[in-house]
Structures are given as structure tokens and as C-alpha cells.
Amino acid sequence: MRRLVKQKLKGTVTRAKSLKAAWKLFKDTIIEAQLKCIPQIKKHSKRPKKESPWLNHHVKEAVRDKKVSFKKWKSNPSEINRKEHKHCQIKCKNVIRKAKKDFEEQLAKNSKRNNKMFFKYIRSRKPAKKPVGPLDDRAIKGAIKDDKAIAEKLNDFFASVFTAEDVGEIPESAPSFVGDESEELSRIEVSLEEVLEQIEKLNVNKSPGLDGIHPRVLEELKWEIAELLSVVCNLFFKLVSVPSDLKVANVTPIFKKGSRGDPGNYRPVSLTSVPGKLVETIVKNKIVKHVEK
């Protein structure tokens, strides 16, 4: 993956003058590397049975021994073979219990560092995953069951809870800056070191935004893409513009409590662009550093 990205970006970083071209080069390079170098999970019509996460080689060996002893006992039903099978059965049960206990202890220990794995295991222990809806609709005096209609209903509700400000009557504020020009933060420049520092701080277990750029890929390719990403960041501030990919988000409704038919009982969670969040962090750090001088 690194070699592929390095070859594609060779000699192109310095030629990326426009924001649109630089962002397109950055995004296309990352997406192409992901598609070519990262295996994709094939979806089957019949969902295959998932292997338990605590299933290690000790458990597999104990299960295999139990099956062998059972076949041996069935083919020759002697008392010795029965006792041997009973022994293997008890051993297998103890090994499974120990494997589950060790896995859950390790999972709990790493829950702060990788909470996604923790909650994934918790969800897998639940009987079934309940879908969103159906939603109650007073207009039709019934329930909305169609997925598209449910999405539109939730979208309308989430949009309605935001306050629409009247931008036409914004009062003019008096300038509050009283320092000289040397103390003013009039320009933001992003260095290569700052980009590398923020990439290293990324949580690789987070989900990507609509642009499809995964934080783990950014972390793995940090030395190859940091220069281009710093160019993109500086173009943001120079042109006072950001690509449309950084302005959109994938909103997922998360059920809180109460009735599943009430849209107010769902909380919207937005998956935004990872490079966009990285740029926001850099800007925040620069502002905080400037204020604390």
C-alpha cells in the first residue's frame, strides 16, 4: 500500500495548486489504496456462522478431543471409553469457561482504548438487534414502515429541533481586540510536523465519514500523505474554502429509551470526514496556543 501511494504521489504534491485538484488527488489516492490493498468482506445470501471471539487453539483442541473420544466410545461402548469421554467432556467445558473468562477480562481491561470491540461483544450477547421504527405518524394515523419514509421522517425531526437564526438582523459588534498587529492571529499555516502529530493521535478504531477515508489508513500512510495533506490544509486557509466532502456527514439514529415509534427517542450520531476533523483539531490548537500567549 505504501509503495502504491508513494508512486502515485511522486512529483504531484508540488504541482497541486488548486484546492479542488489537491483534495481530489488526496482522496482518490487513499480510496484507490484502500480498494486495492485492503481485502473486502464478501456478503453472502446466507450469513455464515460467526466464530466466537474467545475460541482459541486450546478450545479447538479440547473440542476435537471430546469428539474423538465420543466416536471411540460409540464404536466400542466399554466402561474405559465412557470414562475417557466423560473426562474429555469435563475438560472441554473447563477450557471453554477459562477461555471466555480470559477473553472478557482482557476485553474489559482494554475497553477504554478500544471501546468499539467491547460494545460489539456486548451487542453480540443480546438476543437480537431491534431495527429502527416503525415510526408513528399522526398525519396518516398509522405507522411508517418503509425504510425510506422512516429516514425522511427522522431527518425532518432532527432538522426541526435546530434553531433557525435570523442572519439578516445580526448586530454589529465592536472590535474587542486591543493589541497591536504583531499579536493578531491573521494567518494560519500548517506545517508537516503538525500534520504528522495529529495523524499519530488519531483513534484508528473510529469509523470513516462519507468520503470513505479510514483513520487506520491515514495512520499507516502518514509518511506518504502528510506532505500532501499539509498542502491541502494550507489551501483551505488561503482560499477560505473547504471541499464539499468535509461539509456532509452520515447521520445514524441511535435509540435512547421509551417508545420506538417516537422520533424524539432517537439520537442522531454524525460520522464526519476524518481529514476534516484533523484540520479542525489543528485550527483549535493554534487558536488555543495563540490565546494562551
Side-chain angles (χ1 to χ4, degrees), residues 155-252:
N155 183 59
D156 293 340
F157 174 77
F158 293 152
S160 67
V161 297
F162 290 99
T163 305
E165 300 287 348
D166 186 5
V167 295
E169 298 182 2
I170 299 177
E172 293 185 4
S173 59
S176 57
F177 181 70
V178 294
D180 54 23
E181 292 184 0
S182 62
E183 297 176 338
E184 186 179 358
L185 183 64
S186 58
R187 187 178 179 183
I188 293 179
E189 290 186 0
V190 181
S191 65
L192 179 65
E193 291 74 19
E194 288 173 323
V195 172
L196 284 170
E197 181 184 355
Q198 292 306 317
I199 291 177
E200 289 174 353
K201 291 181 179 179
L202 285 175
N203 186 348
V204 296
N205 298 309
K206 293 291 185 180
S207 300
L210 277 178
D211 54 14
I213 300 175
H214 201 282
R216 182 176 289 276
V217 177
L218 291 180
E219 201 274 336
E220 292 291 337
L221 299 174
K222 59 185 177 183
W223 296 107
E224 287 76 19
I225 62 162
E227 184 181 359
L228 177 58
L229 188 54
S230 64
V231 171
V232 172
C233 292
N234 286 316
L235 286 172
F236 288 168
F237 307 126
K238 183 180 178 180
L239 303 175
V240 197
S241 176
V242 293
S244 58
D245 290 329
L246 274 63
K247 299 178 183 178
V248 293
N250 189 8
V251 181
T252 303

Side-chain angles (χ1 to χ4, degrees), residues 133-146 149-150 153 261:
L135 300 178
D136 300 329
D137 192 348
R138 295 178 181 177
I140 62 174
K141 295 182 180 180
I144 302 174
K145 297 181 180 180
D146 181 61
I150 289 174
K153 181 73 175 177

Side-chain angles (χ1 to χ4, degrees), residues 104-119:
E104 290 175 355
E105 285 180 353
Q106 190 66 26
L107 195 67
K109 191 181 294 183
N110 298 332
S111 60
K112 287 188 177 180
R113 188 169 66 251
N114 188 2
N115 57 0
K116 281 198 171 184
M117 185 66 71
F118 176 79
F119 287 110

